[in-house]
Amino acid sequence: MMRAALNLIGEEATLVVWLTDLLMDYQAIIEEIHGEALALKGQGRVATYIPALAAVDPARFGIAIETIDGGIFAVGDAAEKFSIQSISKVFNLALGISLVGDELWHRVGMEPSGNAFNSLVQLEVENGLPRNPFINAGALVVTDVLLDHLKRPNEEMLNFVRKLRCSEIFYNEEVAASEKATGFTNTALVNFMKSYGNIHHEVDEVLDVYCHQCSIEMTCAGLCRSFLFLANGGVVPGSGERVLTSSQTKRINAIMLTCGFYDEAGQFAYRVGMPGKSGVGGGIVAVIPGELAIAVWSPELNDRGNSVIGMHALEQFTSRTGMSIF
Ligand code: GLU
């Protein structure tokens, strides 16, 4: 808000970020939102199609914020780990782009799909080229790209996220196995794309790496920290390490805005106004470039697969602070 009003650049902008944090009592704001949003409990349903996810307590609810200048704010279950599921598609894409750059776009598109995240329909019409990296088909192709370049993709993925200053990160082997054993649609997607030559590796190998990515467990606080590089032009705040160029970062943010929320990205942009990504574990993480990352976890989902309380809380955040990318 301050930033937009003063419209400053360079060093003065850093001062404005600092002033914004000073004037904006993020802790009070998220506590208020947390208290009020509890009233929405019971309006959604926990995802059950992956058996290991069905056991999650629907009452869990946490919110965290980390600003690029190091402010940390948290409320509720913000320090509890949950299955990040499709949020991992952002790490997958970032790692893929860091390995092959724009070449990646020869194998996956960058348009919203307008279809379910696991749809097979569009793939047939579009000759095995997935619409974008955040639907399952697209993430499976990006996973195949990782396999083209990495000897131990499962290990390298965790190392990549650790580079984002998130050291406490692991796979949940039970969730990975549960998804692999029941992921018949994902298996169909990989086979289908392989028939078009857009999968180079063994179907089982691609599914194994993909299911491990989805099984990553993180906290709201950890998600904020690991997404901060996307709010900071590709540089990890704190370590100063550049993970992506600013142009690559802009592209990932653009794709999060247009494709990050299943078939509800328009609704999310309209109501919330931040690029981000959700997962069927009930997590949502979003960024305001130049400012912060915010994550919410509440496992009850709407019929599109997005957390009901998560969307509401983020809408309240941008409404109350006047901050968004628009
Ligand atoms: N592992 C899930 C699947 O492939 C990810 C779903 C999601 O979070 O969107 O079906």
Side-chain angles (χ1 to χ4, degrees), residues 57 65 128 157-158 196 210 213 216 238-239:
D57 177 2
I65 292 177
M157 174 55 74
L158 294 186
Y196 282 96
Y210 171 82
Q213 288 171 9
I216 291 175
S239 75

Side-chain angles (χ1 to χ4, degrees), residues 49-50 84-87 89 117-118 134 136 179 186 210-211 214 262 277-281:
Y49 77 100
I50 300 170
I84 69 166
Q85 290 296 315
S86 270
I87 294 174
K89 290 177 168 72
F117 69 98
N118 56 2
F134 293 158
N136 284 11
E179 176 159 2
N186 286 334
Y210 171 82
C211 291
C214 293
Y262 307 114
K277 184 73 195 83
S278 62
V280 294

Side-chain angles (χ1 to χ4, degrees), residues 12-310:
E12 286 165 318
T14 312
L15 177 68
V16 173
V17 171
W18 181 75
L19 274 175
T20 307
D21 287 356
L22 204 69
L23 297 175
M24 201 76 79
D25 189 346
Y26 290 128
Q27 187 60 36
I29 292 168
I30 59 176
E31 278 175 17
E32 229 174 79
I33 293 172
H34 189 270
E36 289 170 19
L38 288 171
L40 297 180
K41 267 190 185 157
Q43 291 195 7
R45 296 202 5 227
V46 172
T48 52
Y49 77 100
I50 300 170
L53 285 187
V56 174
D57 177 2
R60 292 285 180 241
F61 179 23
I63 308 177
I65 292 177
E66 185 162 338
T67 62
I68 56 173
D69 55 342
I72 296 177
F73 311 89
V75 62
D77 299 313
E80 190 166 324
K81 289 195 167 175
F82 61 93
S83 194
I84 69 166
Q85 290 296 315
S86 270
I87 294 174
S88 65
K89 290 177 168 72
V90 179
F91 299 138
N92 188 32
L93 176 62
L95 182 54
I97 286 183
S98 75
L99 291 169
V100 301
D102 282 347
E103 239 179 72
L104 189 84
W105 307 114
H106 297 146
R107 292 182 59 189
V108 62
M110 54 183 81
E111 295 295 341
S113 75
N115 276 311
F117 69 98
N118 56 2
S119 171
L120 273 156
V121 177
Q122 216 159 36
L123 267 185
E124 178 160 26
V125 184
E126 297 180 358
N127 303 319
L129 195 84
R131 273 285 173 107
N132 69 68
F134 293 158
I135 52 174
N136 284 11
L140 288 159
V141 166
V142 177
T143 303
D144 193 68
V145 171
L146 300 190
L147 279 159
D148 284 341
H149 294 271
L150 301 173
K151 280 212 170 68
R152 294 187 191 81
N154 285 347
E155 227 172 284
E156 303 267 7
M157 174 55 74
L158 294 186
N159 288 339
F160 179 75
V161 184
R162 287 180 184 132
K163 223 164 45 179
L164 307 175
R165 289 200 311 133
C166 209
S167 51
E168 288 288 302
I169 175 171
F170 303 99
Y171 296 118
N172 180 324
E173 292 295 342
E174 188 200 336
V175 172
S178 171
E179 176 159 2
K180 209 170 158 203
T182 56
F184 306 112
T185 310
N186 286 334
T187 309
L189 288 168
V190 184
N191 274 300
F192 196 66
M193 292 188 291
K194 197 166 171 69
S195 76
Y196 282 96
N198 201 12
I199 291 287
H200 303 160
H201 298 269
E202 292 303 320
V203 172
D204 193 64
E205 208 181 349
V206 177
L207 287 170
D208 184 73
V209 176
Y210 171 82
C211 291
H212 272 90
Q213 288 171 9
C214 293
S215 82
I216 291 175
E217 295 196 331
M218 291 174 81
T219 64
C220 287
L223 273 176
C224 286
R225 174 155 298 180
S226 62
F227 268 63
L228 265 186
F229 79 102
L230 293 171
N232 196 38
V235 175
V236 181
S239 75
E241 183 170 355
R242 178 168 287 287
V243 177
L244 295 177
T245 66
S246 60
S247 153
Q248 290 168 333
T249 308
K250 177 197 76 179
R251 288 173 185 174
I252 293 186
N253 285 334
I255 295 171
M256 288 203 296
L257 185 76
T258 52
C259 312
F261 295 90
Y262 307 114
D263 205 6
E264 207 172 27
Q267 175 87 223
F268 191 88
Y270 180 83
R271 283 175 53 190
V272 179
M274 288 191 265
K277 184 73 195 83
S278 62
V280 294
I284 301 180
V285 56
V287 298
I288 300 184
E291 301 280 352
L292 54 79
I294 178 167
V296 184
W297 173 46
S298 165
E300 290 184 345
L301 309 179
N302 64 19
D303 56 6
R304 300 291 174 95
N306 291 308
S307 168
V308 175
I309 290 183

